[in-house]
Amino acid sequence: MKTVVWIMFLGGAWAACAPPGETLQSTNSAARPQREFNVREFGAKGDGTTLDTIAIQMALDECGKAGGGVVRVPPGKYLIGPISLRSHTTLWLESGAVLQATTNHQAYMKEPGDWRTAKSSADFVPLISGTRLTNVAIAGKGTIDGAGEVWWGPAEEARRKTPGYTLPRPRLIILTGCKQVRITGVTLQNSPSFHLVPTDCEDVWIEGLTIVAPDSSPNTDGIDPSVSRRVVITNCVIDVGDDNVAIKSGRKLPGREFACEDIIVTDCVFRHGHGMSIGSETVGGVRNVLVKNCVLEGTENGLRIKTARGRGGRIENITYTNITLKGCRPYAITITCYYPRIPETDTAQPVTPETPKISGVRIMNVRGSGTRAVGVIVGLPESAVEDVVLEDVELAGPRGLTVRHAKNVRLKAVRLSVEQGEELLTRDAEVVRMQ
């Protein structure tokens, strides 16, 4: 049996323990056989034309009523509308199995009505959802296809009419308030918007996913852990039209100092996309994030912490190590309290609970380049970025590293190669080069 290590941040150090949900197919399966519910036995055709939503939902429901097991999806193309997962259940997609989203826009409406009148993404249900579940998994070698093409065109048209506007659309997978979650092996593709969103979840293991959408597809984030904790994303390939991974903390949660914490992203490859992001929603706070052994190739942004007044919070103890960044646009590294644009000048504003506060960032053993500049580290006049260390870092770009409104920035064994201007451009910043 393959042993997988779950790593989380405990008492100031990264510690190892059993991964969440491991008992689903190991300890529990040894104690009692897992019941199987084959969707074909519930009437699913898998012919690409018959709507199989009811049959697959029946299999999931019966599995849940039986106390859990495996819902097996054999090879075939299963046309479906929205379905809901159940606790103690693995949705297993065999190689050659495709869950194909219906192109009927109305099927995703939470309430009956014209989808074009939706005010936000909350007006839609995702293709696959789960709420307050325990020990739930999606696994196998199959594919979940969101049929996003029918949504992207109207979204782009709306954005052309109103710059910056995001047309409301459904997500591919949203899990809300779930514990012991595993998503492994499958391909997620062509979501109308975000592909995978664990929200207010705990103990989440995401491994071996391939997530793809055209680089021109709007808002097609790969994985967005939101107000969640103890999340591992490992050995994934993500090639999409927006953030490859975006850690979000858009609200405070009762009893938690940091709504989003103890997150690892490791051994992943990012191709098209907007890079490895934290933010821009950080009101609930983010801490204890480790990104290691990753390669970003031609992403639009590399390592990025993005937040802004009115949507900011505390961001602490963030570590990037052993990272390769290839031709990131525009910067290899971005740490900024301004989003979406960084102004040339600014004046201090009153500090509020939504004022960003970034501290304790470690960037180590990083090699890469930016197409416009090496990078930026920019705080606010009223809230400086503090305690940032770059160690054993080699970065190249047309311009250097800009540091503004920052304190205690330390550069150790940092080599910057720039085509024009100074390697290091500072203003209202404390930067120390160390031997």
Side-chain angles (χ1 to χ4, degrees):
M1 180 185 299
K2 180 181 177 182
T3 300
V4 185
V5 178
W6 163 255
I7 305 172
M8 62 181 175
F9 193 90
L10 293 172
W14 294 98
C17 62
E22 186 66 14
T23 57
L24 188 63
Q25 291 188 337
S26 56
T27 305
N28 279 0
S29 60
R32 58 181 175 83
Q34 292 289 296
R35 290 191 59 182
E36 282 202 2
F37 299 79
N38 191 312
V39 299
R40 296 275 186 169
E41 296 176 1
F42 290 82
K45 302 298 183 185
D47 58 14
T49 57
T50 302
L51 194 62
D52 287 323
T53 312
I54 293 175
I56 293 176
Q57 189 63 63
M58 286 176 59
L60 289 165
D61 292 345
E62 289 303 311
C63 184
K65 290 176 185 176
V70 176
V71 173
R72 184 171 296 276
V73 184
K77 182 179 283 189
Y78 301 82
L79 184 66
I80 62 169
I83 58 174
S84 299
L85 304 177
R86 298 291 179 256
S87 289
H88 307 295
T89 297
T90 296
L91 177 61
W92 184 272
L93 305 179
E94 294 185 10
S95 179
V98 179
L99 296 183
Q100 180 66 54
T102 177
T103 56
N104 176 10
H105 294 72
Q106 300 302 131
Y108 302 91
M109 291 298 294
K110 217 174 250 187
E111 302 291 340
D114 189 336
W115 68 274
R116 288 174 287 257
T117 65
K119 293 181 172 56
S120 75
S121 62
D123 292 333
F124 296 94
V125 293
L127 183 68
I128 299 177
S129 63
T131 302
R132 294 184 294 278
L133 305 179
T134 300
N135 206 8
V136 60
I138 301 172
K141 296 298 181 183
T143 298
I144 303 172
D145 190 316
E149 297 90 339
V150 299
W151 299 88
W152 301 331
E156 280 302 312
E157 182 180 352
R159 181 174 292 179
R160 281 194 297 270
K161 291 179 180 177
T162 308
Y165 175 69
T166 299
L167 184 73
R169 282 160 282 156
R171 318 302 195 197
L172 191 67
I173 302 172
I174 298 182
L175 301 176
T176 305
C178 297
K179 298 180 179 181
Q180 293 185 310
V181 175
R182 290 185 305 110
I183 303 178
T184 62
V186 296
T187 295
L188 309 180
Q189 64 188 32
N190 300 327
S191 176
S193 55
F194 305 163
H195 282 79
L196 174 57
V197 185
T199 298
D200 192 15
C201 290
E202 298 182 359
D203 303 320
V204 179
W205 185 270
I206 300 170
E207 181 178 13
L209 300 193
T210 299
I211 304 179
V212 292
D215 63 343
S216 59
S217 56
N219 311 113
T220 52
D221 294 24
I223 305 172
D224 289 358
S226 301
V227 293
S228 292
R229 53 187 178 177
R230 297 188 299 278
V231 178
V232 169
I233 300 168
T234 182
N235 288 298
C236 295
V237 177
I238 306 176
D239 188 345
V240 291
D242 209 304
D243 289 316
N244 301 78
V245 171
I247 297 169
K248 300 182 178 183
S249 189
R251 68 184 189 276
K252 295 184 180 295
L253 294 182
R256 281 160 60 170
E257 186 179 5
F258 290 82
C260 212
E261 61 185 339
D262 303 341
I263 296 176
I264 297 176
V265 180
T266 178
D267 297 285
C268 292
V269 175
F270 298 166
R271 296 198 170 105
H272 296 108
H274 292 185
M276 175 64 234
S277 298
I278 296 174
S280 59
E281 303 95 324
T282 60
V283 169
V286 178
R287 74 172 170 186
N288 305 339
V289 176
L290 173 64
V291 182
K292 62 180 293 188
N293 303 337
C294 292
V295 177
L296 286 72
E297 304 175 338
T299 54
E300 193 168 317
N301 290 289
L303 307 178
R304 180 166 64 157
I305 301 174
K306 53 177 179 174
T307 184
R309 294 182 180 113
R311 63 195 315 178
R314 292 164 59 192
I315 302 173
E316 299 180 4
N317 193 31
I318 312 298
T319 300
Y320 306 95
T321 182
N322 195 25
I323 308 292
T324 300
L325 307 165
K326 301 180 180 179
C328 298
R329 310 184 304 274
Y331 311 122
I333 294 172
T334 302
I335 302 173
T336 177
C337 294
Y338 295 98
Y339 183 77
R341 293 179 179 83
I342 302 173
E344 281 299 318
T345 61
D346 193 16
T347 57
Q349 304 293 321
V351 174
T352 74
E354 288 77 40
T355 298
K357 183 63 178 176
I358 301 173
S359 64
V361 179
R362 302 292 180 268
I363 300 172
M364 302 179 293
N365 189 22
V366 172
R367 307 286 181 269
S369 61
T371 59
R372 186 184 301 172
V374 165
V376 293
I377 301 173
V378 179
L380 299 171
E382 71 273 16
S383 181
V385 174
E386 296 188 33
D387 187 21
V388 178
V389 176
L390 279 69
E391 182 175 353
D392 188 19
V393 171
E394 292 184 10
L395 297 173
R399 293 180 174 81
L401 175 65
T402 296
V403 184
R404 295 187 347 224
H405 306 309
K407 298 178 181 178
N408 194 23
V409 177
R410 288 158 286 166
L411 310 181
K412 184 176 181 180
V414 173
R415 296 165 290 280
L416 304 179
S417 175
V418 302
E419 298 170 12
Q420 54 185 295
E422 299 291 329
E423 293 182 2
L424 186 62
L425 301 95
T426 64
R427 186 198 312 165
D428 186 25
E430 300 172 2
V431 182
V432 177
R433 282 187 178 269
M434 306 171 65
Q435 296 299 320

